[in-house]
């Protein structure tokens, strides 16, 4: 039936396509014949024009023929006779009302098309066509649609081998379609196209169906005509209701038969699939029951065993054939607990019917080999397909090992609690959400009570509890789960002094942990270090005494140099004074004033230098107790250089200082810092003196001391650097150079650098040493000691 319907449809389609091609060919023939007739008429008019050059009657007859051509041919809009110089002689029709070119401002486009056609005709000496001209016509123009696209045909008038004029005809593309008979346009839609499927004219605006038949052919309206294509589209034929109903009934019956067969096949597939699923489910349940370690048994309403799985048989040591059909009390119950287990079973069966309890009951099974295992039994009613209870299903799990583990965990918990209670450190856990004390050991309870106040006091968060709340809120807003990177990160231990007047010190370590309920908590461990702090205070006092002793030692070393250095200026003063006295004895000559005054000035300068040296030494040793005050570091560096320059000059060495401008004053102890700088400068001089023998010290680089601000860190710090040009510091020495009583000098005490570092650290600063390489990076070329001191002391910042 499908083949028959398809054949009929194909035959009908072929017939329609043949009729469509026949009608298209007829329409094409009509259009081409019309243009051929028009060309003959235009040629005849040209002959009449050439013959009626001086006869007015013949000229009128020619215009009448042109007028008949324009009236009888709907596609012709205008006929123009032009001279050989393109001058218009006459125009048909002559009515000015029809001159819609100038009225619509399209005369330029029309004239350009006309000129192009005339030039082509002049060159070829035959009829020529212009390109298609699209006019811009207002929509209210009555003939706007028909005259929107026009083109010219120019026929040259040749007499005696020369062109004496041109006969131009203006065609409308829409008018070309009017050549086609109306009965064809009633059944088909004709469309006139040009290049790129541009529509020039269309016979009807009525749409054609999507599956309409179409055909097209090219139009040849002249030798020099533009490219044109004529397309034909079919309209839907009148509906044949009887034929369509017959086809519908046949298709419906066929569809019903196919659907019936498909339904039977589907039912068979569903049944086979259900049977396969049932077999799969049965095998799966059997495999699951055999593989699970949970023992399963079924009872009927008389509590008789009707089914046991393999796990229960392995658990009890009895076979399925031996167990099926037994009623309680069962032989796998321990003899001494049969009554107890029977009562539990009856109570559980009642609860399973009434409340569907699923907490399970603890019991025991006596294996056939005599071993006892602890079990937990769960009971559920067995319901058939009609909703009626036919028995119970019980499942047993072996809890011997978990019970043993719980007992061991309880014992371990007890031991852990005992250890925590015996610690001599406070251990506490506080919730970040409620600030509640979640755990506290004995030491914490004895020293801080049973609340979280002591926890926050130790954590330095008595007044900053909101910080912990903000942390908890941020973690709640974050994705589920607490980030692992946030947990278990122990903070650096810090020393905390209680503010309750007890003067106790604790070393505190804390971290964030998830509590047992999943919420975030803070763990804190605080160890009492009061005794250690007291010992540190005593050690610091001893170190201060040692610093004072070191200053006295340094002063003793400088005293000899001072005595040696003062000897020269004092001798010079004496000599100058004696010379003045001798010159003044008995002869006072004004000319001698030139000699006396310079001597007196030099004596005064030497005396001032001696006084400066003595003043610096006195300032270095006059105080023994440290005292901070705002001091210009440049003054301290100048004093240190002045004190050490004596020894530098004695060894033929120099000291250079580089001080940055506008250095701020710092809160330091000037005497202690002066001691550090003097010690470092002396070490630099010793290192340079050992590297350069006496004969070559003129080329030794100076010991440099500089001061500036180190802005590479925040907050900025004062940086002081002492650099020498010695042999540097060996790696073995650099690791121990700051240890007490370690010295590379035969007569050194080994306390200088240790005391210097202690002084700088007491100012909350840093002191370290780095070696300097030469330009080729092949050997050590000196050493640089760097000091960093805060611009503001922590005590000053805290007061602010």
């Amino acid at each position: 039936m499908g083949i028959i319907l398809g054949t009929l449809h194909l035959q009908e389609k072929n017939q329609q396509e043949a009729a469509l091609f026949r009608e298209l060919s007829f329409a094409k023939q009509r259009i081409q014949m019309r243009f051929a007739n028009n060309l003959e008429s235009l040629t005849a008019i040209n002959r009449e024009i050439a013959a009626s050059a001086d006869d007015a009657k013949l000229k009128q007859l020619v215009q009448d023929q042109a007028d008949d051509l324009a009236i009888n041919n709907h596609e012709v809009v205008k006929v123009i006779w032009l001279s050989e110089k393109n001058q218009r002689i006459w125009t048909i029709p002559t009515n000015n009302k029809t001159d819609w070119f100038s009225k619509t401002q399209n005369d330029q486009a029309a004239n350009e098309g006309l000129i192009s056609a005339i030039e082509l005709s002049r060159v070829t000496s035959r009829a020529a066509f212009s390109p298609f001209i699209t006019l811009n016509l207002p929509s209210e123009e009555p003939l706007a649609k028909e005259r929107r696209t026009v083109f010219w045909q120019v026929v040259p008038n040749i007499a005696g081998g020369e062109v004496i004029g041109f006969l131009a005809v203006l065609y409308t593309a829409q008018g070309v379609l009017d050549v086609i008979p109306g009965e064809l346009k009633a059944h088909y839609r004709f469309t006139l196209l040009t290049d790129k499927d541009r529509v020039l004219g269309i016979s009807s605006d009525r749409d054609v169906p999507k599956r309409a038949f179409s055909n097209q052919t090219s139009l040849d309206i002249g030798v020099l005509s533009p490219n044109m294509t004529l397309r034909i589209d079919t309209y839907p034929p009148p509906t044949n209701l009887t034929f369509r109903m017959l086809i519908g009934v046949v298709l419906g019956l066929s569809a019903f038969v196919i659907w019936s067969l498909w339904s039977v096949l589907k039912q068979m597939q569903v049944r086979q699939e259900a049977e396969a699923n049932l077999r799969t489910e049965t095998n799966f349940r059997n495999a699951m029951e055999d593989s699970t370690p949970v023992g399963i048994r079924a009872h009927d309403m008389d509590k008789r065993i009707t089914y046991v799985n393999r796990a229960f048989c392995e658990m009890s040591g009895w076979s399925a054939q031996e167990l099926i059909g037994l009623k309680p009390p069962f032989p796998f119950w321990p003899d001494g607990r049969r009554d107890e287990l029977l009562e539990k079973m009856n109570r559980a069966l009642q609860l399973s019917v009434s409340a569907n309890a699923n907490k399970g009951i603890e019991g025991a099974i006596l294996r056939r080999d005599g071993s006892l295992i602890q079990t937990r039994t769960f009971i559920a009613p067995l319901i058939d397909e009609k909703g009626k209870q036919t028995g119970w299903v019980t499942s047993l799990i072996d809890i011997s090992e978990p019970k043993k583990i719980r007992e061991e965990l309880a014992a371990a918990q007890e031991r852990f609690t005992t250890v925590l209670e015996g610690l001599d450190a406070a251990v506490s856990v506080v919730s970040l959400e409620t600030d509640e004390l979640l755990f506290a050991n004995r030491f914490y309870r004895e020293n801080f009570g049973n609340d979280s106040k002591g926890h926050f006091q130790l954590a330095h968060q008595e007044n900053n509890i909101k910080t912990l709340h903000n942390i908890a809120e941020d973690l709640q807003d974050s994705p589920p789960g607490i980030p692992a990177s946030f947990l278990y990160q122990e903070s650096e231990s810090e020393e905390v002094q209680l503010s309750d007047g007890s003067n106790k010190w604790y070393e505190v370590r804390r971290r964030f942990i998830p509590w047992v309920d999943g919420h975030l908590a803070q763990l804190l461990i605080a160890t009492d270090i009061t005794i250690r702090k007291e010992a540190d205070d005593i050690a610091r006092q001893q170190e201060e005494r040692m610093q004072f002793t070191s200053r006295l030692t340094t002063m003793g070393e400088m005293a000899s140099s001072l005595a040696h250095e003062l000897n020269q200026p004092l001798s010079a003063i004496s000599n100058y004074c004696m010379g003045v006295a001798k010159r003044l004895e008995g002869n006072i000559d004004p000319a001698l004033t030139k000699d006396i005054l310079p001597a007196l000035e030099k004596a005064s300068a030497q005396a001032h230098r001696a006084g400066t040296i003595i003043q610096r030494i006195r300032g270095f040793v006059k105080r023994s107790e440290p005292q901070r005050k705002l001091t210009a570091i440049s003054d301290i560096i100048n004093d240190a250089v002045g004190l050490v320059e004596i020894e530098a000059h004695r060894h033929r060495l120099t000291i250079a200082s580089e001080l940055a401008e506008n250095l701020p004053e710092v809160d330091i102890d000037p005497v202690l810092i002066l001691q550090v700088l003097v010690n470092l400068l002396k070490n630099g001089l010793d290192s340079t003196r050992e590297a350069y023998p006496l004969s070559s010290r003129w080329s030794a680089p100076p010991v440099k001391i500089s001061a500036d601000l180190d802005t590479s860190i925040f907050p900025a710090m004062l940086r002081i650097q002492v650099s020498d040009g010695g042999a540097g510091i060996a790696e073995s020495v650099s690791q121990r150079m700051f240890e007490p009583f370690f010295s590379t000098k035969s007569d050194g005490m080994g306390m200088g650098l240790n005391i210097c570092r202690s002084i700088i650290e007491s100012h909350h600063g840093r002191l370290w040493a780095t070696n300097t390489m030469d330009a080729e990076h092949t050997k050590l070329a000196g050493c640089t000691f760097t000091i960093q001191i805060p611009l503001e002391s922590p005590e000053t910042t805290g007061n602010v």
Side-chain angles (χ1 to χ4, degrees):
M1 293 177 64
I3 293 173
I4 293 173
L5 292 176
T7 303
L8 292 175
H9 178 70
L10 182 60
Q11 184 178 3
E12 183 181 3
K13 178 181 178 182
N14 292 334
Q15 291 176 355
Q16 291 181 357
E17 289 180 348
L20 189 67
F21 179 75
R22 185 172 56 252
E23 301 297 345
L24 178 62
S25 300
F26 176 74
K28 174 182 178 182
Q29 184 180 3
R30 288 290 300 267
I31 294 174
Q32 293 182 162
M33 187 175 294
R34 173 62 66 86
F35 274 92
N37 294 335
N38 290 345
L39 180 59
E40 292 178 0
S41 300
L42 294 174
T43 304
I45 293 173
N46 273 338
R47 288 196 297 268
E48 295 293 337
I49 292 174
S52 61
D54 299 326
D55 193 344
K57 291 182 178 181
L58 291 178
K59 288 183 179 180
Q60 183 62 37
L61 181 60
V62 169
Q63 293 183 9
D64 292 339
Q65 291 178 358
D67 195 9
D68 291 338
L69 179 64
I71 293 174
N72 295 327
N73 295 279
H74 189 265
E75 71 276 9
V76 177
V77 178
K78 182 181 292 188
V79 180
I80 302 176
W81 165 252
L82 298 99
S83 65
E84 68 276 6
K85 296 182 179 180
N86 297 345
Q87 295 178 354
R88 296 190 182 188
I89 307 301
W90 47 262
T91 301
I92 299 298
T94 57
N95 190 358
N96 292 330
K97 294 182 179 180
T98 61
D99 190 8
W100 40 272
F101 284 106
S102 59
K103 182 170 63 176
T104 56
Q105 289 81 37
N106 289 290
D107 51 351
Q108 182 177 358
N111 290 334
E112 290 176 356
L114 177 60
I115 292 173
S116 64
I118 292 174
E119 293 300 325
L120 183 60
S121 177
R122 189 190 304 274
V123 173
T124 58
S125 298
R126 62 175 62 186
F129 292 85
S130 70
F132 294 103
I133 305 169
T134 301
L135 303 180
N136 184 14
L137 301 178
S139 57
E140 64 271 7
E141 179 69 28
L143 299 178
K145 180 179 179 182
E146 296 183 0
R147 299 180 178 180
R148 190 171 301 276
T149 303
V150 297
F151 61 96
W152 292 95
Q153 183 183 19
V154 176
V155 180
N157 194 342
I158 301 174
E162 294 182 0
V163 178
I164 61 173
F166 300 93
L167 191 61
V169 180
L170 182 65
Y171 290 98
T172 64
Q174 188 67 31
V176 174
L177 295 177
D178 292 341
V179 178
I180 302 173
E183 58 271 14
L184 286 182
K185 292 192 289 185
H187 294 87
Y188 304 97
R189 186 181 72 176
F190 293 90
T191 306
L192 196 62
L193 305 172
T194 185
D195 296 337
K196 298 181 182 179
D197 292 336
R198 175 187 167 196
V199 178
L200 302 176
I202 188 168
S203 63
S204 176
D205 293 336
R206 186 172 57 167
D207 294 332
V208 295
K210 294 182 179 179
R211 296 184 179 180
F213 294 106
S214 298
N215 202 341
Q216 62 184 22
T217 182
S218 61
L219 283 177
D220 184 11
I221 59 174
V223 178
L224 300 177
S225 64
N227 295 329
M228 276 196 301
T229 301
L230 181 63
R231 188 175 68 190
I232 184 171
D233 299 291
T234 61
Y235 289 119
T239 303
N240 189 346
L241 183 59
T242 303
F243 178 73
R244 292 184 178 275
M245 287 183 63
L246 179 60
I247 293 177
V249 170
V250 172
L251 293 177
L253 291 175
S254 302
F256 177 75
V257 172
I258 295 173
W259 177 80
S260 300
L261 294 176
W262 179 81
S263 299
V264 173
L265 178 61
K266 196 67 176 178
Q267 291 296 330
M268 293 177 61
Q269 292 177 349
V270 170
R271 181 174 179 178
Q272 292 175 357
E273 185 179 358
E275 293 176 353
N277 291 337
L278 181 59
R279 288 192 297 270
T280 303
E281 184 70 19
T282 303
N283 295 333
F284 175 75
R285 289 182 178 274
N286 292 334
M288 183 175 62
E289 292 176 0
D290 292 339
S291 63
T292 181
V294 178
I296 300 175
R297 70 174 186 261
H299 301 262
D300 58 12
M301 296 302 294
D302 295 330
K303 305 175 185 176
R304 185 181 290 106
I305 297 177
T306 59
Y307 169 80
V308 291
N309 69 338
R310 185 171 62 181
F312 184 81
C313 296
E314 295 175 353
M315 189 181 297
S316 62
W318 298 74
S319 64
Q321 292 78 8
E322 294 172 334
L323 292 174
I324 293 177
L326 296 179
K327 297 180 63 175
F330 301 114
F332 48 78
W333 283 354
D335 295 336
R337 300 182 60 184
R338 289 190 176 184
D339 295 337
E340 173 192 353
L341 295 176
L342 180 59
E343 181 182 356
K344 285 184 176 182
M345 181 178 180
N346 293 332
R347 186 167 62 252
L349 293 178
Q350 294 175 0
L351 290 175
S352 67
V353 175
S354 60
N356 194 21
N358 56 3
K359 296 182 179 180
I361 56 175
E362 288 191 9
I365 287 182
L366 182 64
R367 294 175 56 87
R368 201 164 191 173
D369 58 2
S371 60
L372 187 68
I373 61 174
Q374 301 294 328
T375 62
R376 181 175 294 276
T377 305
F378 299 89
I379 301 177
L382 184 60
I383 308 298
D384 61 5
E385 68 278 2
K386 298 180 180 179
K388 181 180 179 181
Q389 182 179 359
T390 60
W392 292 270
V393 175
T394 62
S395 58
L396 293 83
I397 56 176
D398 187 358
I399 62 171
S400 300
E401 191 67 22
K403 191 173 183 179
K404 181 180 178 181
I405 293 175
R406 286 198 301 271
E407 292 175 353
E408 292 178 354
L409 287 176
Q413 177 70 18
E414 184 177 357
R415 291 193 297 270
F416 179 71
T417 304
T418 302
V419 171
L420 286 180
E421 292 293 330
L423 287 177
D424 288 334
V427 180
S428 59
V429 180
V430 170
S431 172
L432 294 186
E433 295 183 359
T434 61
D435 300 336
E436 177 186 0
L437 184 65
L438 302 176
F439 174 81
N441 67 340
R442 176 192 55 80
F443 189 90
Y444 180 90
R445 294 192 301 271
E446 291 177 354
N447 290 272
F448 302 101
N450 296 321
D451 54 18
S452 60
K453 183 178 180 181
H455 178 99
F456 291 112
Q457 188 178 7
L458 290 172
H460 268 192
Q461 291 175 330
E462 311 92 332
N463 301 322
N464 199 17
I465 299 178
K466 292 183 179 179
T467 303
L468 296 180
H469 291 174
N470 294 335
I471 293 175
E473 292 177 358
D474 293 341
L475 290 176
Q476 289 178 356
D477 297 337
S478 63
I482 302 173
S485 59
F486 183 78
L487 298 176
Y488 307 114
Q489 290 187 357
E490 183 174 343
S491 64
E492 295 183 1
S493 61
E494 56 179 337
E495 297 178 354
V496 177
Q497 184 181 16
L498 297 182
S499 58
D500 55 0
S502 61
N503 293 328
K504 284 190 174 183
W505 285 85
Y506 289 89
E507 182 180 8
V508 179
R509 296 185 298 275
R510 55 191 175 181
R511 67 176 63 175
F512 295 101
I513 60 173
W515 193 237
V516 293
D517 58 357
H519 292 88
L520 191 64
Q522 187 184 50
L523 168 67
L524 185 143
I525 303 175
T527 305
D528 190 353
I529 58 171
T530 305
I531 298 176
R532 191 179 75 186
K533 293 295 291 185
E534 293 175 354
D536 291 343
D537 291 340
I538 295 174
R540 187 170 58 255
Q541 294 174 5
Q542 294 292 340
E543 186 175 353
E544 290 177 355
R545 296 190 186 96
M546 187 177 294
Q547 293 173 2
F548 178 70
T549 303
S550 177
R551 288 200 301 273
L552 294 179
T553 303
T554 304
M555 189 61 200
E557 294 175 356
M558 296 179 61
S560 59
S561 299
L562 184 63
H564 174 75
E565 195 68 23
L566 288 178
N567 186 30
Q568 294 181 4
L570 291 176
S571 299
I573 293 172
S574 175
N575 292 333
Y576 282 124
C577 291
M578 291 177 63
V580 171
K582 288 181 179 181
R583 296 295 297 270
L584 293 177
E585 287 180 359
N587 187 12
I588 300 176
D589 189 353
L592 296 178
T593 304
K594 296 181 180 180
D595 298 329
I596 295 174
L597 290 179
L600 292 177
E601 290 176 355
K602 292 179 180 180
S604 176
Q606 294 295 332
H608 183 267
R609 179 185 175 194
T612 302
I613 294 173
I614 295 173
Q615 183 179 2
R616 286 175 178 171
I617 295 176
R618 290 183 61 190
F620 182 71
V621 297
K622 69 179 180 180
R623 292 191 299 114
S624 59
E625 294 296 330
Q627 184 177 359
R628 285 177 178 266
K629 65 178 180 179
L630 288 175
T631 307
I633 193 65
S634 57
D635 297 339
I636 298 178
I637 292 176
N638 292 331
D639 290 344
V641 171
L643 290 172
V644 183
E645 268 185 343
I646 301 172
E647 185 175 357
H649 293 162
R650 184 162 58 89
H651 293 289
R652 300 181 182 179
L653 298 175
T654 58
I655 300 175
S657 58
E658 298 178 359
L659 304 180
E661 297 181 356
N662 301 324
L663 289 176
E665 294 183 345
V666 288
D667 187 22
I668 56 175
D669 189 324
V671 176
L672 295 181
I673 299 300
L674 179 62
Q675 177 184 350
V676 172
L677 298 182
V678 168
N679 199 344
L680 294 180
L681 288 172
K682 289 181 63 179
N683 289 343
L685 291 174
D686 293 341
S687 178
T688 305
R689 180 167 53 85
E690 292 176 0
Y692 291 87
L694 184 63
S695 59
S696 61
R697 286 181 187 170
W698 60 270
S699 62
V703 177
K704 296 181 180 180
I705 181 170
S706 63
D708 59 358
L709 292 181
D710 188 358
T711 58
S712 62
I713 57 176
F714 182 83
M717 301 180 72
L718 177 65
R719 178 171 57 190
I720 305 173
Q721 291 183 320
V722 178
S723 304
D724 61 69
I729 303 174
E731 183 178 357
S732 58
V733 176
S734 63
Q735 297 177 356
R736 300 187 56 194
M737 59 189 301
F738 291 103
E739 294 181 4
F741 305 108
F742 175 81
S743 176
T744 58
K745 301 177 182 178
S746 58
D747 57 347
M749 294 179 59
M751 293 300 295
L753 291 179
N754 178 263
I755 294 174
C756 290
R757 171 171 279 189
S758 300
I759 292 174
I760 297 303
E761 290 179 351
S762 67
H763 286 76
H764 302 280
R766 294 178 58 206
L767 170 63
W768 71 93
T770 54
N771 285 321
T772 304
M773 303 296 293
D774 60 356
E776 291 79 12
H777 293 277
T778 57
K779 63 178 182 178
L780 297 178
C783 175
T784 299
F785 282 85
T786 303
I787 301 173
Q788 284 185 342
I789 300 176
L791 297 179
E792 294 184 1
S793 63
E795 292 81 1
T796 305
T797 306
N799 295 333
V800 175

